[in-house]
Amino acid sequence: INNNPEYFYHGATLRAADDVTKYSVVESIIETLPHDARLRSYHPDQGYTYLRDVQAVLSHIKKAGLTPQDFKKVLDKNDQDILVLNERLGPILSKTVSQSSFDEFTAEFSKLHKERGNANVLSYHSLIDALYMNFTSSVHEKTDLSAWKEKHTEKNTKGDREFNGTSRADILREFLTVYEKYSTEMFNQGYYDFDDMILDVLKAVEKNETLRFRLQEQYQYILVDEFQDTNYAQFQIVKLL
């Protein structure tokens, strides 16, 4: 970043934020959320109870190589898939598991995957793809379906089965709001955090051929120490180089 400022932050020089600064920025954003937002849950002695969870989730999202715009694309596709999964498969999963319901579910899920599967979101499998691959690799008979159903679905207020993402959609949208505001506020205050640095380099190298060719020429060989601890964003940088 320092050696190639023309590709980062419109030429501005940012500085690494310490933990107190990051904490303060996230806290100030949570304060702006609607009063009924789950992430705004507050305890008189402990403050905002989800604050540390928000920081951890933001870090995970960035390590997955997702900008706020990318994360929104994933959520939009997930919401579409959840509606279809609940409509097509929910009624079958609400039945008692039997050989006939197992056969019915297997046939319908296979049909759904042929219709709407193989649709990646960015570089990730869609929710339908991911669930279908998990299903075909772990469910081989009706007794397996019971455990799979308990793991991936839950009962709604009417007692019907819904896929887990249904109840989490709203809070994931809250995380998206915080992420969008966090990125803007950190930039406005002249800060970035470590995960930002990795993600920003990844996006710059992806977008700019000149920068990518320059770095490829500069670093002819790369040795990755502790490769098993490499996250997706870091791996993508190495792969691009």
Side-chain angles (χ1 to χ4, degrees), residues 84-113 128 131-142 144-150 152-153 161-163:
V84 175
L85 285 163
N86 286 337
E87 180 182 337
R88 297 277 293 272
L89 304 180
I92 305 174
L93 289 175
S94 297
K95 300 177 182 179
T96 301
V97 174
S98 63
Q99 189 61 49
S100 61
S101 64
F102 170 73
D103 293 340
E104 181 185 8
F105 180 82
T106 302
E108 185 63 19
F109 204 174
S110 177
K111 181 180 177 182
L112 174 60
H113 184 255
I128 289 176
L131 281 172
Y132 186 74
M133 287 187 293
N134 179 272
F135 173 76
T136 55
S137 65
S138 61
V139 179
H140 306 290
E141 54 187 29
K142 70 176 184 179
D144 298 330
L145 180 59
S146 296
W148 193 89
K149 179 171 75 171
E150 290 299 320
H152 294 286
T153 69
R161 284 281 171 180
E162 292 181 335
F163 282 84

Side-chain angles (χ1 to χ4, degrees), residues 62 65-67 179 195-204 233:
K62 292 182 218 177
L66 298 175
T67 64
Y179 188 15
D195 292 324
D196 290 328
M197 287 189 281
I198 300 296
L199 181 58
D200 293 341
V201 168
L202 170 59
K203 295 305 175 181

Side-chain angles (χ1 to χ4, degrees), residues 53-65 193 195 231:
D53 292 325
V54 170
Q55 290 180 301
V57 169
L58 293 186
S59 179
H60 284 309
I61 295 171
K62 292 182 218 177
K63 288 175 180 176
D193 61 31
D195 292 324
N231 63 48

Side-chain angles (χ1 to χ4, degrees), residues 209-226:
E209 283 189 349
T210 302
L211 175 61
R212 184 165 67 253
F213 293 155
R214 182 189 303 173
L215 294 174
Q216 287 173 342
E217 182 67 23
Q218 181 178 357
Y219 300 105
Q220 295 289 318
Y221 304 94
I222 299 173
L223 173 65
V224 181
D225 190 25
E226 301 292 342

